[in-house]
Amino acid sequence: MTYEKILRIAMEQSALDLSCQPEDLCSDRNRVVISRTNRLARKYLELPFFCQLVTYGNSVVASVSEDIALFAKEYIDRYGTVRSFETPAVLALDRELQKFSNRVCFMAQYYLPVPEMIVPVACDLTLRVMDKPDFEKYYLPQFGNAICAEHSDRDVLAVGAFDGDKLAGLAGASADCDSMWQIGVDVLPEYRGRGIASAITSKLAREIFALDKVPFYCAAWSNVRSAKNAVKSGFRPAWVELTAKSEEFVNQLNGRNDGKSN
């Protein structure tokens, strides 16, 4: 599988998520579309979006509610592919969202694998490929990024790094849609800095490729450790997303229940 094919698969999936066409994501013209539900969208997405901005680098696609469509067009046309995802522009977007009891919530970068760079990474621990019966006992808080008990139906494959019988690091694959599986990684604090994360990430990516699926990886912009792991494991930045959520949802994330947003 070539990188060009991988990128095309990712754009086709994003188009399903956003209610647009794949060509919109590689066009040099911004596009606003009304968000719709789609059973083929990534399973963790809550559709329809109120406001979702995505860029693969050439233009911005805004998948939005009709309530904010006009503002979204003015916003992305004014700020473009870079500034639309940066402050102070995002502050202007957030002010508009507040009128509809929504706020800017998630801002993340997504990575795709470069096949020729997905190679074995040296590790001084034992790596084991695990199917669901093998990793079910590891639904623990310390491995909550790799596998998620709340959505265990999506967890399909994992690679563990073992120090004897102790699981030191875990990379898990979530079948978030038909063609693409997302990789999440956790390494116990006392084992970090030894290349374990990249060893299990690259190993899991190769296992996913062998099943004719595309692995992908997501990191918040501030998560430098995770971004470095993506690159070391053979992944490269492919697209970014900005997601608005309800004020109630944002308050819950912030541990507030007084109805006020930070």
Side-chain angles (χ1 to χ4, degrees):
M1 190 179 297
T2 65
Y3 181 78
E4 289 71 23
K5 182 176 181 181
I6 290 169
L7 182 61
R8 179 67 185 182
I9 289 171
M11 287 185 173
E12 288 173 351
Q13 184 59 52
S14 289
L16 294 172
D17 301 338
L18 298 169
S19 304
C20 70
Q21 298 299 314
E23 291 71 25
D24 295 329
L25 295 157
C26 52
S27 169
D28 59 0
R29 298 182 62 182
N30 296 328
R31 181 81 193 277
V32 175
V33 295
I34 302 304
S35 179
R36 310 291 184 195
T37 58
N38 190 330
R39 65 179 181 82
L40 298 178
R42 281 175 285 165
K43 295 175 183 177
Y44 60 86
L45 299 177
E46 295 183 4
L47 298 178
F49 295 120
F50 188 80
C51 180
Q52 178 89 345
L53 306 185
V54 174
T55 181
Y56 276 76
N58 294 321
S59 61
V60 182
V61 171
S63 184
V64 301
S65 164
E66 291 182 356
D67 293 337
I68 202 171
L70 181 60
F71 177 87
K73 177 171 174 50
E74 294 172 349
Y75 178 85
I76 61 177
D77 285 345
R78 178 178 182 182
Y79 295 113
T81 58
V82 177
R83 293 186 62 203
S84 290
F85 298 84
E86 293 184 337
T87 53
V90 169
L91 298 179
L93 174 60
D94 192 64
R95 283 195 296 271
E96 184 68 18
L97 290 170
Q98 287 182 66
K99 298 176 183 178
F100 303 93
S101 299
N102 274 256
R103 303 298 298 266
V104 172
C105 187
F106 300 123
M107 299 169 68
Q109 181 127 329
Y110 288 79
Y111 298 75
L112 290 173
V114 180
E116 59 269 25
M117 300 182 70
I118 304 295
V119 297
V121 176
C123 178
D124 59 357
L125 300 183
T126 301
L127 304 188
R128 299 178 191 167
V129 178
M130 296 187 287
D131 292 319
K132 195 150 195 169
D134 303 315
F135 63 73
E136 280 186 327
K137 63 182 177 182
Y138 295 113
Y139 279 106
L140 305 169
Q142 57 267 41
F143 299 116
N145 291 312
I147 54 177
C148 177
E150 185 178 357
H151 303 293
S152 61
D153 57 310
R154 301 177 201 161
D155 295 329
V156 289
L157 191 66
V159 172
F162 286 85
D163 185 0
D165 292 330
K166 181 179 181 180
L167 182 63
L170 185 67
S174 173
D176 290 338
C177 55
D178 289 342
S179 59
M180 302 176 68
W181 291 3
Q182 183 171 187
I183 293 178
V185 186
D186 286 295
V187 176
L188 299 181
E190 63 269 29
Y191 287 91
R192 292 172 185 166
R194 293 167 54 175
I196 295 169
S198 54
I200 57 179
T201 300
S202 61
K203 174 65 173 173
L204 182 56
R206 296 195 304 278
E207 295 292 328
I208 294 171
F209 272 136
L211 296 171
D212 202 30
K213 304 293 183 181
V214 172
F216 73 104
Y217 189 106
C218 175
W221 292 346
S222 58
N223 195 338
V224 176
R225 181 184 290 117
S226 185
K228 286 182 176 180
N229 177 56
V231 172
K232 187 175 179 181
S233 302
F235 289 73
R236 292 294 179 268
W239 79 95
V240 296
E241 298 185 3
L242 180 153
T243 306
K245 302 289 283 186
S246 70
E247 284 190 330
E248 180 182 7
F249 181 88
V250 173
N251 289 336
Q252 289 174 350
L253 288 183
N254 287 335
R256 301 180 62 137
N257 56 14
D258 57 6
K260 299 177 182 178
S261 295
N262 292 328

XYZ file of all heavy atoms in Angstrom, residues 18 35 48-54 61-65 68 71-72 75-76 93 97 102-106 242-245:
236
model
N -17.627 14.225 7.307
C -17.934 15.651 7.184
C -19.125 15.966 6.287
O -19.550 17.115 6.224
C -16.705 16.390 6.644
C -15.447 16.339 7.510
C -14.242 16.864 6.738
C -15.646 17.139 8.799
N -23.657 19.513 8.178
C -23.339 18.208 8.744
C -24.573 17.322 8.817
O -25.666 17.779 9.177
C -22.739 18.391 10.147
O -22.443 17.141 10.724
N -25.040 14.929 13.947
C -24.309 15.904 13.146
C -23.457 16.832 14.007
O -23.774 17.079 15.178
C -25.420 16.671 12.434
C -26.602 16.572 13.373
C -26.497 15.220 14.010
N -22.372 17.360 13.413
C -21.545 18.339 14.093
C -22.296 19.663 14.195
O -23.101 20.013 13.317
C -20.267 18.621 13.296
C -19.327 17.453 13.173
C -18.996 16.950 11.922
C -18.755 16.880 14.295
C -18.113 15.891 11.791
C -17.877 15.816 14.178
C -17.560 15.320 12.915
N -21.981 20.424 15.253
C -22.403 21.820 15.245
C -21.381 22.639 14.475
O -21.730 23.480 13.655
C -22.568 22.373 16.664
C -23.183 23.749 16.646
C -24.552 23.893 16.497
C -22.397 24.890 16.744
C -25.132 25.160 16.438
C -22.960 26.154 16.701
C -24.332 26.294 16.547
N -20.095 22.360 14.739
C -19.036 23.022 13.978
C -17.784 22.166 14.026
O -17.236 21.939 15.103
C -18.754 24.418 14.534
S -17.450 25.313 13.633
N -17.342 21.709 12.870
C -16.133 20.899 12.750
C -15.312 21.464 11.593
O -15.779 21.518 10.459
C -16.493 19.434 12.482
C -15.309 18.505 12.280
C -14.800 17.916 13.585
O -15.141 18.406 14.661
N -13.997 16.881 13.505
N -14.085 21.878 11.887
C -13.185 22.387 10.855
C -12.080 21.367 10.624
O -11.485 20.858 11.571
C -12.554 23.719 11.271
C -13.488 24.850 11.702
C -12.676 26.118 11.957
C -14.575 25.106 10.670
N -11.789 21.088 9.352
C -10.756 20.118 8.991
C -9.928 20.677 7.846
O -10.473 21.262 6.899
C -11.377 18.773 8.563
C -10.300 17.810 8.052
C -12.129 18.135 9.723
N -12.406 22.601 5.187
C -13.802 22.172 5.074
C -14.448 22.382 6.437
O -13.944 21.901 7.452
C -13.922 20.700 4.647
C -15.379 20.233 4.752
C -13.417 20.519 3.223
N -15.544 23.119 6.449
C -16.309 23.345 7.672
C -17.612 22.562 7.565
O -18.439 22.834 6.681
C -16.595 24.831 7.862
N -17.789 21.582 8.427
C -19.019 20.793 8.484
C -19.810 21.300 9.683
O -19.388 21.106 10.836
C -18.682 19.304 8.621
O -19.847 18.521 8.584
N -20.942 21.940 9.422
C -21.572 22.748 10.463
C -23.092 22.612 10.461
O -23.700 22.102 9.518
C -21.202 24.245 10.276
C -19.697 24.449 10.335
C -21.755 24.778 8.957
N -23.679 23.136 11.532
C -25.114 23.333 11.596
C -25.492 24.530 10.725
O -24.699 25.460 10.528
C -25.528 23.587 13.048
O -26.823 24.143 13.123
N -24.873 28.189 11.952
C -23.590 28.879 11.953
C -22.916 28.836 10.583
O -21.768 29.262 10.430
C -22.675 28.276 13.041
C -21.587 29.272 13.458
C -22.089 26.948 12.613
C -20.795 28.838 14.666
N -21.549 32.306 9.182
C -20.360 32.747 9.927
C -19.172 31.859 9.588
O -18.052 32.346 9.419
C -20.627 32.700 11.430
C -19.413 33.069 12.243
C -19.143 34.388 12.554
C -18.521 32.087 12.683
C -18.019 34.733 13.288
C -17.401 32.415 13.416
C -17.142 33.751 13.718
N -19.389 30.545 9.496
C -18.292 29.627 9.204
C -17.643 29.946 7.866
O -16.408 29.908 7.737
C -18.797 28.183 9.208
N -15.609 33.029 8.256
C -14.453 32.753 9.122
C -13.341 32.046 8.355
O -12.187 32.481 8.374
C -14.916 31.893 10.302
C -13.811 31.486 11.251
C -13.417 32.334 12.288
C -13.164 30.256 11.119
C -12.416 31.964 13.168
C -12.155 29.884 11.996
C -11.785 30.738 13.012
O -10.772 30.376 13.875
N -13.656 30.947 7.675
C -12.583 30.196 7.006
C -12.045 30.947 5.794
O -10.857 30.833 5.461
C -13.027 28.768 6.623
C -14.193 28.771 5.650
C -13.359 27.974 7.876
C -14.628 27.379 5.193
N -14.040 32.655 16.830
C -14.944 31.538 16.582
C -15.659 31.119 17.862
O -16.870 30.876 17.871
C -14.148 30.361 16.013
C -14.905 29.040 15.831
C -16.080 29.212 14.873
C -13.963 27.946 15.342
N -19.663 30.781 18.780
C -20.228 29.508 19.237
C -21.005 29.674 20.537
O -22.017 29.001 20.757
C -19.106 28.486 19.432
C -18.417 27.972 18.157
C -17.175 27.160 18.527
C -19.377 27.125 17.329
N -22.363 26.590 22.568
C -21.282 25.697 22.173
C -19.952 26.385 22.419
O -19.878 27.604 22.570
C -21.402 25.316 20.690
C -22.317 24.128 20.471
O -21.889 23.016 20.227
N -23.625 24.371 20.556
N -18.871 25.603 22.469
C -17.531 26.142 22.657
C -16.533 25.350 21.815
O -16.764 24.183 21.492
C -17.085 26.054 24.133
C -17.984 26.724 25.142
C -18.090 28.228 24.923
N -16.830 28.925 25.063
C -16.399 29.511 26.200
N -17.146 29.429 27.300
N -15.262 30.157 26.239
N -15.417 25.985 21.478
C -14.307 25.236 20.895
C -13.847 24.231 21.939
O -13.639 24.578 23.098
C -13.154 26.181 20.512
C -11.928 25.371 20.092
C -13.580 27.106 19.384
N -13.690 22.972 21.531
C -13.352 21.931 22.497
C -12.063 21.211 22.122
O -11.029 21.422 22.750
C -14.506 20.937 22.618
S -14.287 19.720 23.933
N -12.100 20.377 21.100
C -10.929 19.570 20.747
C -10.172 20.190 19.579
O -10.773 20.645 18.606
C -11.347 18.145 20.369
C -12.049 17.406 21.468
C -13.312 16.884 21.277
C -11.443 17.238 22.709
C -13.966 16.200 22.285
C -12.088 16.555 23.728
C -13.351 16.032 23.510
N -10.625 20.717 14.278
C -11.103 21.540 15.395
C -12.571 21.194 15.584
O -13.346 21.242 14.629
C -10.921 23.022 15.091
C -11.373 24.025 16.160
C -10.565 25.322 16.058
C -12.867 24.351 16.055
N -12.930 20.851 16.806
C -14.281 20.365 17.098
C -14.948 21.226 18.161
O -14.372 21.457 19.227
C -14.244 18.913 17.606
O -13.541 18.103 16.665
C -15.646 18.365 17.806
N -16.148 21.692 17.865
C -16.961 22.379 18.859
C -17.871 21.373 19.551
O -18.357 20.430 18.927
C -17.801 23.474 18.214
N -18.073 21.593 20.851
C -18.981 20.748 21.626
C -19.855 21.661 22.484
O -19.567 22.846 22.666
C -18.196 19.792 22.515
C -17.243 18.870 21.763
C -17.952 17.798 20.968
C -18.441 16.685 21.852
N -19.021 15.557 21.056
